Amino acid sequence: MAEVNTVLGPISSDELGMTLIHEHLTLCYPGWECDALAVPYDREAIATSCVEALEEAKAHGVKTLVEASPNDLNRDVELDRMVSKRSGINIICATGLYMESMGKPAYFKFRNQVFDTATEIYETFMKEITQGIGDTGVKAGVIKVGTGQGEISTHEETVLKAAARAQKETGVPIITHTEAGTMGPEQAALLISEGANPRRIMIGHIGGNANLQYHISVLEQGVYIAFDRLGIDFLFPDTLRKACIIGLLGIGYANRIMLSHDYAPYWLGRPSELPDFVKPLLANWSYAHVFKNIIPALKQAGVSDDNIHTMMVDNPRQLFA
Ligand SMILES: [Zn+2]
């Protein structure tokens, strides 16, 4: 048992219950604020959308959601607090920095010419974990880091090293973004070599490929993995993700796998309707898809209720405990 920081304060890891380990409240790529036709940021309206979107997941027993937005992706702890209070769902927010190509690396890259940004980024993570984010008093409960496709850039390596250092000192888990099913084994190896505890690491977006050899090379390092983009057929087909989950469960990895959606009910920017070719590829994407479609399919393939419970309740708890 351990204390876990949620946006409404600390709770015991035993209280986490059914947990979605990687979700968002807003889809929030930096630059939306440069769009002259973007809808102004209305926290109240966004909170309403999020609470509504969470209802179905709540009905399926979800008790906790990890809001995986790092510092540079519209992390909004006031919004998190509003949504947590109104929905009754625990929300754990992150400190961290996104992969270089789609985040906001400019500030630390500029400073890196003169200053020790490895330490500065570590200090940022530590401040947000131990004292809180800004003056909100909300403490980050996870560290979120990411890497791009096919390589870990110099900047990303600095961020990962800072994360490992903060993990080691605070015990707070690290969750990661991997791009297009690449660099998972390298992320795990780097974090562990920098002193992070493998049992406090979750390598994310593992279902960006269907390569079991890749998945196992991550698992063999003692870390958790997450199939946490279920429902995003736009990026990779769920059919293949399901095949991988069933295969890995079949060889005994139930105690190391988590399921989630990387879903966001509210997209920042201009109002837009998705083109017809995209719609079917996101048709199932929601906070409830795992419960409505994935778990029934796993059960049909012979996966036990015990294994489902392990993935949805025990593993998230273990990651934090
Ligand atoms: Zn995400």
Side-chain angles (χ1 to χ4, degrees):
M1 206 168 75
E3 201 170 76
V4 181
N5 284 319
T6 78
V7 294
L8 299 182
I11 63 171
S12 150
S13 57
D14 285 347
E15 296 172 69
L16 293 173
M18 182 99 72
T19 299
L20 292 171
I21 199 71
H22 185 135
E23 306 290 347
H24 298 271
L25 299 186
T26 58
L27 184 102
C28 47
Y29 288 105
W32 71 271
E33 66 278 25
C34 304
D35 186 343
L37 301 188
V39 177
Y41 194 78
D42 179 348
R43 191 177 280 138
E44 186 62 40
I46 298 171
T48 302
S49 303
C50 295
V51 172
E52 217 175 274
L54 280 166
E55 270 168 24
E56 207 179 359
K58 199 179 167 185
H60 284 282
V62 170
K63 295 271 185 287
T64 301
L65 172 147
V66 175
E67 217 290 354
S69 304
N71 303 25
D72 45 349
L73 291 193
N74 190 57
R75 184 193 54 183
D76 179 348
V77 294
E78 293 299 344
L79 174 68
D80 296 344
R81 277 208 287 219
M82 283 165 78
V83 173
S84 183
K85 273 183 199 155
R86 292 181 199 178
S87 66
I89 289 181
N90 303 313
I91 296 181
I92 297 168
C93 73
T95 185
L97 291 166
Y98 200 45
M99 66 167 168
E100 182 174 352
S101 64
M102 300 288 268
K104 291 184 184 169
Y107 170 78
F108 282 118
K109 281 172 76 178
F110 170 74
R111 289 185 65 83
N112 191 51
Q113 299 172 100
V114 180
F115 300 104
D116 172 13
T117 54
T119 298
E120 292 183 353
I121 294 169
Y122 154 79
E123 288 168 350
T124 289
F125 296 166
M126 289 299 289
K127 195 268 173 189
E128 295 197 330
I129 294 166
T130 60
Q131 296 169 47
I133 294 163
D135 59 4
T136 62
V138 171
K139 293 177 182 172
V142 293
I143 306 167
K144 163 74 181 292
V145 295
T147 57
Q149 186 168 356
E151 67 158 352
I152 298 177
S153 73
T154 307
H155 172 71
E156 289 161 354
E157 188 178 326
T158 305
V159 174
L160 264 66
K161 285 179 175 174
R165 202 172 150 193
Q167 193 294 310
K168 193 167 61 169
E169 276 185 44
T170 62
V172 162
I174 297 171
I175 65 171
T176 77
H177 168 101
T178 55
E179 183 69 10
T182 67
M183 309 316 287
E186 291 82 359
Q187 281 187 351
L190 176 60
L191 291 168
I192 293 165
S193 73
E194 291 295 318
N197 178 350
R199 303 319 294 252
R200 300 283 174 276
I201 297 171
M202 184 279 274
I203 302 298
H205 307 342
I206 200 80
N209 67 45
N211 182 345
L212 289 171
Q213 199 172 357
Y214 172 92
H215 303 157
I216 290 167
S217 69
V218 177
L219 286 164
E220 279 177 341
Q221 299 186 54
V223 300
Y224 291 96
I225 61 171
F227 290 86
D228 49 9
R229 281 184 153 172
L230 290 159
I232 315 183
D233 283 62
F234 179 68
L235 292 176
F236 199 75
D238 259 7
T239 310
L240 290 172
R241 294 193 185 109
K242 277 184 280 191
C244 292
I245 297 166
I246 292 162
L248 292 168
L249 291 173
I251 57 167
Y253 279 119
N255 61 348
R256 306 278 288 287
I257 298 171
M258 294 180 235
L259 309 179
S260 202
H261 311 93
D262 204 5
Y263 179 65
Y266 193 95
W267 295 16
L268 300 183
R270 67 176 67 198
S272 26
E273 195 181 337
L274 290 171
D276 282 343
F277 81 96
V278 179
K279 281 181 189 164
L281 300 173
L282 292 176
N284 289 321
W285 197 32
S286 79
Y287 291 133
H289 172 53
V290 160
F291 309 98
K292 281 160 66 183
N293 304 307
I294 300 296
I295 289 175
L298 298 183
K299 283 187 176 178
Q300 205 169 22
V303 172
S304 68
D305 286 334
D306 270 4
N307 278 356
I308 304 289
H309 190 268
T310 300
M311 291 192 290
M312 301 309 300
V313 178
D314 299 337
N315 293 346
R317 185 185 65 237
Q318 296 288 348
L319 179 72
F320 285 94

